[in-house]
Amino acid sequence: MKRFKKILKWTGITLVVIIAGVSIIAATRQNTKYEAPYPDIKASTDTAIIAKGRHLVLNVAHCVGCHSPANVDSIDFNKEDLPLTGGRLFDLPVGKIYSRNITPDKETGIGRYTDAEIARALYYGVHPDGTVVYDFMPFHNISKEDMTAIISYLRVQKPVKNKVPENTLNLVGNLVKAYMIKPVGPNGEIPAAVKKDTTAVYGKYLAMSVAECNGCHTERNLAGEFTGEPFGGGAPMDENNGFPALTPPNLTPDPTGRIYGWTQEMFINRFRQGKLIPYSPMHWSSFKHMTDDELKAIYNFLHTLKPVKTKERK
Ligand code: HEC
Ligand code: HEC
């Protein structure tokens, strides 16, 4: 009995020491600085390139959905340029994270940064100050042509001063950040340009690298790693404060898939209708403005996928 108590005591002391150690190391690791290359990207003043950037920012890459504090569903922002002042709160189990001010304000926005610093943050997940960018924006493989257009559009926006609150992580968040979060970068060489047509090749690029359809329609674990079959349906998304969770459906060409039997016209028309379930997290109000050709390309790509049976859920 005495011996047992002794073991218990030492286990307890060891545990306390380990926990203290882990927490101290976690604390010192909160502001780890990372190295990453500065991409060779320069904003252009060409109006055609800026117009392309606008289409990407508002519609296909839906930056506006996260970087505007407005309720984008209620606004036809294809007509209006909403200020991308950031500050939208993502209240996650690991803490509170805010989108940043990406208007050209020199004090609180991207006016402080060079084109290469902005491109580095998006391609390599490293903020201009060297800290990690939480991977909300997997645009790591977007073409240099499209990245140039995006930054060109951001540069000509009206600067708006808006200091976004600092992110605050809880204990779990600090541990996750210290030991699990690393900057995410491109896989392979960043393409200079991707041919814009209606092929599955372009559709794959749009769905995976620009519109991020796979981020929701493929199942992922809590660390964000893909665990399910590509486009076989996502995990239920329970972020709607009291509304029932919605599950991103299976988009593969399987009879149990949501778009099985849909013609290309039906697919395009569904997008033109925009958001039908008012609390859906899908960025319908952006995606509804994708061009017919972009939607055809995505449709064609989805039909090249391996058919996957929809997972039964209780
Ligand atoms: C799903 C939501 C989401 C989308 C979509 C999104 N962002 Fe972000 N963005 C964020 C969040 C959240 C942060 C803050 C991340 C952090 O604190 O590490 C951020 C940070 C940034 C930063 C870093 C700024 C800085 O001060 O370091 C830039 C630049 C940026 N976003 C640009 C864009 C552009 C351009 C697009 C569209 C091509 C876009 N974002 C789309 C959520 C999003
Ligand atoms: C932020 C997560 C998210 C992203 C990104 C996303 N979706 Fe969805 N999607 C959902 C959810 C949740 C639903 C179910 C609720 C609804 O229908 O709005 C859905 C439903 C759908 C439906 C079925 C609509 C219907 O009426 O039956 C289609 C088709 C679809 N998504 C295609 C896409 C495509 C293509 C993309 C990329 C351009 C995409 N989604 C991006 C979450 C997402």
Side-chain angles (χ1 to χ4, degrees):
M1 195 58 203
K2 214 169 159 194
R3 198 160 156 241
F4 181 66
K5 269 197 184 149
K6 212 168 168 188
I7 292 175
L8 213 65
K9 184 176 147 200
W10 280 105
T11 324
I13 291 175
T14 317
L15 270 178
V16 167
V17 170
I18 291 176
I19 292 171
V22 166
S23 312
I24 290 167
I25 297 169
T28 61
R29 283 201 193 187
Q30 291 308 305
N31 291 309
T32 307
K33 307 274 176 174
Y34 297 91
E35 300 283 335
Y38 288 99
D40 175 24
I41 297 282
K42 278 190 189 64
S44 162
T45 51
D46 182 312
T47 49
I49 294 178
I50 291 170
K52 267 193 216 156
R54 180 175 194 276
H55 178 58
L56 289 166
V57 168
L58 299 184
N59 304 331
V60 195
H62 56 270
C63 321
V64 66
C66 295
H67 284 277
S68 164
N71 172 13
V72 294
D73 288 339
S74 62
I75 296 163
D76 186 354
F77 49 85
N78 212 28
K79 297 198 186 105
E80 261 179 81
D81 286 33
L82 289 180
L84 304 173
T85 47
R88 231 194 92 177
L89 166 66
F90 295 84
D91 201 351
L92 306 175
V94 289
K96 295 187 183 345
I97 298 183
Y98 299 87
S99 70
R100 307 270 177 118
N101 179 353
I102 56 170
T103 75
D105 183 56
K106 283 208 172 0
E107 235 177 90
T108 61
I110 53 160
R112 296 172 280 178
Y113 309 140
T114 64
D115 296 336
E117 282 173 329
I118 299 168
R120 186 177 78 147
L122 293 168
Y123 277 131
Y124 293 97
V126 177
H127 281 297
D129 68 2
T131 56
V132 65
V133 177
Y134 301 124
D135 201 26
F136 283 81
M137 308 173 287
F139 303 115
H140 312 296
N141 298 290
I142 204 164
S143 73
K144 290 189 174 167
E145 184 187 3
D146 287 345
M147 182 67 84
T148 303
I150 288 172
I151 298 179
S152 306
Y153 172 75
L154 295 180
R155 286 289 188 218
V156 298
Q157 297 310 294
K158 203 172 106 225
V160 180
K161 185 168 287 172
N162 179 39
K163 190 151 174 29
V164 163
E166 299 282 338
N167 297 333
T168 51
L169 298 183
N170 55 31
L171 187 65
V172 178
N174 281 326
L175 291 175
V176 169
K177 184 173 184 193
Y179 297 103
M180 289 166 71
I181 307 264
K182 293 233 155 45
V184 182
N187 35 28
E189 201 167 320
I190 298 166
V194 180
K195 189 158 175 262
K196 296 178 168 39
D197 53 21
T198 60
T199 60
V201 175
Y202 188 51
K204 179 177 183 183
Y205 167 73
L206 288 175
M208 312 274 292
S209 302
V210 191
E212 312 296 351
C213 318
N214 60 323
C216 293
H217 286 274
T218 302
E219 191 151 0
R220 298 199 278 174
N221 63 18
L222 279 179
E225 295 152 342
F226 289 98
T227 51
E229 295 281 356
F231 292 89
M237 303 183 78
D238 195 4
E239 53 178 50
N240 304 302
N241 306 320
F243 292 111
L246 290 170
T247 304
N250 176 357
L251 300 178
T252 71
D254 185 82
T256 62
R258 176 66 61 86
I259 63 169
Y260 187 75
W262 289 22
T263 62
Q264 202 168 62
E265 288 66 41
M266 286 163 76
F267 186 76
I268 295 174
N269 285 337
R270 172 64 194 90
F271 277 83
R272 295 287 170 254
Q273 287 176 289
K275 197 166 281 196
L276 298 180
I277 303 174
Y279 50 89
S280 171
M282 179 162 155
H283 308 268
W284 286 108
S285 30
S286 283
F287 296 147
K288 75 187 278 194
H289 296 296
M290 284 196 281
T291 65
D292 280 6
D293 279 2
E294 284 164 345
L295 289 167
K296 281 180 193 167
I298 293 176
Y299 178 89
N300 289 335
F301 161 64
L302 293 174
H303 283 79
T304 64
L305 291 166
K306 187 182 98 183
V308 177
K309 258 187 135 44
T310 301
K311 214 167 156 178
E312 296 279 346
R313 292 184 195 276
K314 281 159 268 137

